[in-house]
Amino acid sequence: MTVAKENGGGNDGPQWVLPTEIEFEQLKGHQLEECVFWLLDGMGAKDIEWRVGGKGGGAADGGRDLEARLFTSGDNGIMEPRRWWVECKGRTGTLEKEAVTVACNNAVANPEVDVLVIATNTTFSNPTRDWVKTWQQRFPKPEIYLWDRRSLEQLLGRQPATVLRLFEKGLSSAGYMEAVRERFWNLLEYSSIERLKRIWKERDNLQIGPMERVALIANEFAHGNIDERPWAGGSDSEAAVQAFHYAMLNVIYLFFRVTKYGATQEPVIQTLAYVTLAALRHIDADVVVHVMKVALQTEEESTLKPELVEHLLMPFLDALRGDLQAVCTADCPRFSRDSSLQALGVSDPLDTYWARFSSKGARQASNVDYSRLQNLREPCIVGFDLRDEAGCPLYEVVYQNDDFQSFLEIAEYVIRRRARVVGRGRRK
């Protein structure tokens, strides 16, 4: 990547960061070093390390506080590693010239250093900048980058995840959303429920694309469920279908990240199940199946490999089937259930499930389970034609390998009738 000298470059994107909310005056010692450490990490630096004797007290080894390698494109177009030294100088007023001259003279004595960054939370005087330009003419290597407060503001403006880590109140709502997206897709990490609530409250003023929507959905499931803030089910058809397409076309990537980071796969499985069901409200099951096959099918194979279906599709199809079995039977006359807890005034969590396909969501219900027994003589609540004592299709359907369209057709039928109801007996 290209790193601009002096100011670190501009920020032409949305306003993710609110610099006025970052207390740069207090950004000294270890805090300043940590800020630059994560900025370097966000820039793609490798082998970042605090030098012995550093960590806020000033390094004793050659003067630098941080050391890292960054890859840049050379004259031949090949990516080449460059060794960076970083000195962090927290001050109350303008950084004194002597601190800069000492840092430059220390670095030039080591021929392995390609770049020297001198970072401060305040400013550099004009005479100091002039001295660096003159010194650089005599010593082309290392290149000297002066990062002052304005530089740090601009660098942080391109890295909302770093701001979220260090200066949470310095993020705008758009910055919160960008940080949630970046942490999920890059690291499979999840943000706090308070951040999700803030984004939901201001969602009408934010641009939420499919990448952000999938990340928000996964974050909700990481905290429990999505009934209160239905990011896909309560959105318009285009947004819901785009979220499904994006999630499905990245299904291999998602499970690879789960394995790489040793993360729990449950939020990913629930996310895939949810966006699939949300899409079935708007597109037919055969289209959904086609997208799934495109996501997993190779050019050489006309059919899906059984192992891919087993490890990537079956987990969330099974989760989806289990959800529908539980919630569609909750008030179906074909199924009896223990109502003793209802007599005590305990709310049924199944009442809130369909709210994840509404525009407002639902209040969280208590976690209550009910046992069910099927009565084959009663009619199906969603209208399946069940004659001759046929069982509920949600329990009878069998799918294996790449033959799962029949189940998705049943799911499509259920969701298009059930999603009209928010809770029991209440319309959207």
Side-chain angles (χ1 to χ4, degrees):
M1 67 178 295
T2 301
V3 180
K5 288 187 181 181
E6 301 285 343
N7 59 18
N11 179 22
D12 298 326
Q15 187 176 5
W16 292 331
V17 177
L18 306 173
T20 56
E21 297 296 327
I22 299 176
E23 297 179 349
F24 283 98
E25 295 79 7
Q26 307 301 320
L27 197 63
K28 303 175 183 177
H30 174 76
Q31 287 74 25
L32 178 58
E33 293 172 15
E34 185 177 17
C35 175
V36 176
F37 179 98
W38 290 112
L39 283 173
L40 292 173
D41 180 74
M43 292 162 57
K46 308 297 182 184
D47 304 327
I48 313 173
E49 62 174 312
W50 257 296
R51 300 299 300 173
V52 175
K55 293 264 185 173
D61 184 8
R64 75 272 197 193
D65 301 302
L66 299 166
E67 190 174 317
R69 287 187 305 119
L70 279 89
F71 286 80
T72 56
S73 179
D75 296 336
N76 55 5
I78 298 176
M79 299 300 291
E80 300 174 347
R82 305 184 76 198
R83 187 176 180 185
W84 285 40
W85 275 13
V86 181
E87 282 209 44
C88 299
K89 306 292 184 181
R91 296 293 189 270
T92 301
T94 301
L95 180 64
E96 65 276 12
K97 178 181 175 182
E98 181 183 3
V100 175
T101 60
V102 171
C104 292
N105 291 330
N106 283 337
V108 77
N110 191 324
E112 296 182 358
V113 181
D114 299 298
V115 174
L116 171 65
V117 175
I118 304 173
T120 183
N121 62 324
T122 57
T123 59
F124 299 95
S125 68
N126 288 331
T128 299
R129 294 181 182 277
D130 292 338
W131 182 88
V132 169
K133 290 178 181 179
T134 301
W135 186 93
Q136 193 81 86
Q137 292 174 357
R138 293 179 55 202
F139 304 102
K141 181 182 178 182
E143 292 185 70
I144 309 300
Y145 294 176
L146 300 180
W147 288 0
D148 58 9
R149 170 174 172 164
R150 180 169 174 268
S151 307
L152 296 178
E153 287 179 358
Q154 292 178 331
L155 289 168
L156 288 168
R158 295 197 294 268
Q159 295 188 31
T162 298
V163 180
L164 182 64
R165 186 188 300 272
L166 301 174
F167 319 105
E168 183 170 339
K169 67 179 182 180
L171 280 178
S172 65
S173 294
Y176 270 102
M177 186 174 65
E178 174 65 13
V180 168
R181 179 201 65 77
E182 186 175 322
R183 291 186 67 185
F184 173 72
W185 286 105
N186 292 345
L187 301 171
L188 213 67
E189 292 181 351
Y190 301 102
S191 299
S192 72
I193 197 72
E194 287 74 20
R195 293 165 193 150
L196 300 177
K197 290 179 179 179
R198 174 176 172 178
I199 298 171
W200 175 259
K201 184 178 180 180
E202 301 184 28
R203 65 191 183 280
D204 292 337
N205 300 319
L206 300 173
Q207 294 181 350
I208 303 178
M211 194 175 192
E212 291 79 16
R213 197 175 301 278
V214 172
L216 290 165
I217 292 168
N219 272 266
E220 294 287 357
F221 281 114
H223 290 288
N225 63 52
I226 201 165
D227 299 347
E228 295 179 72
R229 290 171 291 279
W231 294 103
S235 60
D236 58 48
S237 59
E238 182 179 3
V241 172
Q242 285 180 347
F244 163 71
H245 276 246
Y246 197 90
M248 201 53 54
L249 294 177
N250 284 280
V251 65
I252 297 177
Y253 171 85
L254 287 171
F255 279 103
F256 169 77
R257 300 299 256 189
V258 166
T259 302
K260 178 178 180 180
Y261 292 109
T264 176
Q265 64 179 0
E266 190 63 23
V268 172
I269 290 174
Q270 293 295 335
T271 296
L272 293 169
Y274 172 61
V275 296
T276 299
L277 196 56
L280 284 169
R281 296 181 69 193
H282 310 288
I283 57 177
D284 295 338
D286 60 336
V287 179
V288 170
V289 171
H290 174 73
V291 175
M292 291 179 176
K293 290 185 176 181
V294 168
L296 300 184
Q297 194 169 309
T298 63
E299 295 181 0
E300 298 79 11
E301 299 285 344
S302 57
T303 59
L304 298 183
K305 293 183 178 180
E307 57 268 27
L308 291 180
V309 176
E310 178 183 357
H311 295 295
L312 301 181
L313 295 187
M314 286 302 116
F316 74 84
L317 289 177
D318 287 342
L320 177 55
R321 183 182 183 184
D323 280 351
L324 291 180
Q325 286 174 346
V327 298
C328 197
T329 63
D331 57 354
C332 180
R334 290 174 64 87
F335 292 81
S336 62
R337 63 179 180 174
D338 179 7
S339 60
S340 58
L341 290 177
Q342 282 185 300
L344 298 176
V346 178
S347 59
D348 185 346
L350 303 180
D351 285 343
T352 68
Y353 182 88
W354 303 113
R356 64 179 63 177
F357 302 100
S358 71
S359 59
K360 296 182 179 180
R363 293 182 179 179
Q364 185 60 50
S366 304
N367 186 18
V368 184
D369 193 18
Y370 295 91
S371 60
R372 293 172 177 78
L373 182 65
Q374 186 169 184
N375 183 349
L376 300 181
R377 296 182 180 180
E378 293 290 338
C380 170
I381 194 170
V382 295
F384 281 115
D385 186 8
L386 304 180
R387 301 176 183 177
D388 301 323
E389 296 189 342
C392 174
L394 288 170
Y395 288 89
E396 300 296 327
V397 66
V398 177
Y399 53 88
Q400 56 187 355
N401 296 332
D402 60 351
D403 181 21
F404 39 82
Q405 181 166 331
S406 57
F407 163 67
L408 290 173
E409 289 173 348
I410 293 171
E412 173 195 322
Y413 185 91
V414 172
I415 188 62
R416 293 189 182 186
R417 284 153 182 79
R418 280 296 199 169
R420 294 194 297 263
V421 180
V422 181
R424 181 172 301 147
R426 291 184 290 124
R427 295 285 174 177
K428 279 177 59 175

